[in-house]
Amino acid sequence: MQRVRIGGSEAVFLENDEKDVLGYAVWYTISRTLVHKDKLHAWFDKHGLSRFKPVDPKHGDAFKRICSEYKEKKIDEFADSETFLLLRPLETGLTRKIVLEKRKKGKKLSYNVVGEIAYDEKSRNVNYSLKTADPVVRDIVKEILDRFEREKDCYTDEHVRKILHRILDSCNRVKLKPSGGVYFVPIDDFYWIERFSKIVEEIKKIDPSNRTEIWYAPIANTTRHRRMLEIKVEDTLEEILNSAIERLLKIDSEDSKVRQVDEIAKQIEQATRMAEKYTKMLKVSLNRTTSLLEKAERLLNKIRQIQYSQVEIKAKSTA
């Protein structure tokens, strides 16, 4: 890497040397996507991402997602009124009321429940009953049934987005924007992002119109960039640790909360690993982070001790 001063600022010329690059800025767009689970799993195996393979899609979630797209659909229009088909969830279970609602200038004129459609978790089928012979209603119900059969074993853009977030978290990602969306990934973790970019290519092969994309650009190893990263690392770790501390303060000491405490412990462990990595990488002391880590660990240890005491008391009482 060659460094020069231009107009009072430092400029660098990279020479394809890893020491010249701290890592990469990464940003992405995940657009509407539907991929069968077998195909996505094969892609993950092919491109070395098996450890990030998601669990199979839940059929009940597919039913809810499809129904949400039909929750209000205009099916008829007259000079003085409009008719809408509504799908309305019941308070419990995976059942939707099928409703015909007539409106005039936004005002409800009638509201008639004409059937139900439901996902049955035992049979893993969608069943329905109708009290109307309206062909439009029947066509929409058939459309929902057909879509369910096609999409029940498919991953959506929401699944893909969650997978990418897991990969980014495993790469010690740092937010470059407070709202997220643009992240820094250290160079020695970046290979996971390159592998995920192959998944994006696979998605675009089966659907060239899909706008899912992932981009990245090198962050040169300059004094300015190191200072920027120091600030962003502390901001990111502060967010992670403040979230952990807030959750710990809300927890009572009941041992029924063990799983929740374990999740928070993992959050703190992740922050500890990140702090160690970036301290070594940037050769700086992360003062804000150190203080918050100490506070989070004290709270965690306190709750752990109370929980262990309760377990011992229960064990003695049942002995």
Side-chain angles (χ1 to χ4, degrees):
M1 177 170 63
Q2 297 179 11
R3 301 175 186 267
V4 296
R5 305 291 295 185
I6 301 176
S9 298
E10 183 182 32
V12 297
F13 297 91
L14 302 180
E15 297 173 348
N16 200 29
D17 186 339
E18 283 196 1
K19 293 184 217 173
D20 294 349
V21 177
L22 292 167
Y24 287 80
V26 178
W27 63 101
Y28 60 89
T29 300
I30 308 293
S31 66
R32 188 178 176 91
T33 301
L34 204 63
V35 181
H36 193 275
K37 65 177 185 179
D38 293 343
K39 191 167 287 186
L40 193 86
H41 288 175
W43 292 345
F44 272 59
D45 289 336
K46 175 182 174 183
H47 297 298
L49 288 168
S50 298
R51 63 178 282 196
F52 294 105
K53 250 188 327 197
V55 298
D56 287 351
K58 294 181 180 177
H59 292 181
D61 289 345
F63 174 75
K64 287 189 287 187
R65 173 178 52 78
I66 293 166
C67 285
S68 71
E69 296 177 24
Y70 293 84
K71 63 182 179 182
E72 184 170 309
K73 188 177 181 69
K74 186 191 291 187
I75 62 171
D76 217 340
E77 186 171 7
F78 302 96
D80 60 346
S81 67
E82 299 171 320
T83 302
F84 291 82
L85 181 140
L86 313 176
L87 292 185
R88 292 293 181 258
L90 300 182
E91 288 186 9
T92 58
L94 289 170
T95 301
R96 301 292 183 267
K97 290 188 297 184
I98 303 171
V99 178
L100 287 180
E101 182 175 280
K102 190 170 284 189
R103 301 174 190 167
K104 181 177 181 181
K105 295 181 179 179
K107 184 179 179 181
K108 187 195 301 182
L109 298 178
S110 63
Y111 183 92
N112 297 312
V113 178
V114 296
E116 285 187 352
I117 186 167
Y119 173 70
D120 179 54
E121 296 191 75
K122 288 184 179 178
S123 67
R124 304 180 78 188
N125 292 321
V126 174
N127 305 310
Y128 71 95
S129 61
L130 289 174
K131 304 174 186 174
T132 176
D134 188 313
V136 178
V137 174
R138 291 187 171 273
D139 284 347
I140 290 174
V141 169
K142 183 178 183 304
E143 190 175 313
I144 292 171
L145 294 173
D146 290 345
R147 279 192 61 187
F148 175 77
E149 287 304 315
R150 288 196 310 270
E151 300 177 19
K152 64 184 180 182
D153 288 315
C154 290
Y155 294 108
T156 67
D157 42 287
E158 186 60 30
H159 291 109
V160 175
R161 192 175 292 108
K162 286 179 179 177
I163 295 164
L164 178 54
H165 287 172
R166 281 180 56 214
I167 293 172
L168 283 165
D169 285 344
S170 77
C171 291
N172 297 294
R173 59 91 180 143
V174 168
K175 282 185 180 180
L176 294 182
K177 286 176 59 182
S179 58
V182 182
Y183 301 94
F184 171 81
V185 173
I187 193 165
D188 56 353
D189 292 313
F190 182 66
Y191 61 96
W192 292 116
I193 304 302
E194 289 182 299
R195 292 179 185 185
F196 183 81
S197 71
K198 301 296 183 184
I199 304 299
V200 173
E201 290 174 13
E202 298 282 9
I203 290 171
K204 295 176 95 57
K205 279 180 191 173
I206 62 171
D207 180 10
S209 66
N210 191 293
R211 298 303 302 273
T212 296
E213 54 191 17
I214 186 163
W215 299 101
Y216 37 85
I219 301 293
N221 186 0
T222 66
T223 302
R224 180 180 176 83
H225 287 160
R226 294 173 79 87
R227 177 57 186 150
M228 178 269 290
L229 272 178
E230 182 184 344
I231 293 168
K232 297 301 182 181
V233 166
E234 292 245 71
D235 288 347
T236 298
L237 290 172
E238 185 174 36
E239 182 180 327
I240 292 170
L241 289 167
N242 277 336
S243 168
I245 289 167
E246 186 178 344
R247 291 176 70 192
L248 284 169
L249 290 171
K250 287 180 179 176
I251 287 180
D252 56 36
S253 56
E254 294 294 327
D255 56 14
S256 60
K257 302 286 186 180
V258 167
R259 184 174 176 182
Q260 191 176 350
V261 173
D262 287 344
E263 289 173 0
I264 300 170
K266 287 179 182 176
Q267 212 176 345
I268 296 170
E269 286 167 11
Q270 178 199 4
T272 302
R273 286 194 301 272
M274 283 182 66
E276 290 171 352
K277 183 180 185 75
Y278 283 103
T279 297
K280 183 177 179 181
M281 174 181 160
L282 300 174
K283 297 180 174 61
V284 294
S285 297
L286 303 175
N287 297 322
R288 276 191 287 155
T289 299
T290 300
S291 174
L292 284 169
L293 269 173
E294 289 172 355
K295 182 177 180 181
E297 286 168 353
R298 280 198 307 270
L299 280 168
L300 180 62
N301 289 335
K302 182 179 177 181
I303 290 174
R304 289 279 203 215
Q305 286 169 3
I306 294 171
Q307 288 181 332
Y308 292 150
S309 298
Q310 288 179 337
V311 170
E312 287 177 359
I313 292 168
K314 282 189 176 180
K316 287 177 182 177
S317 66
T318 55

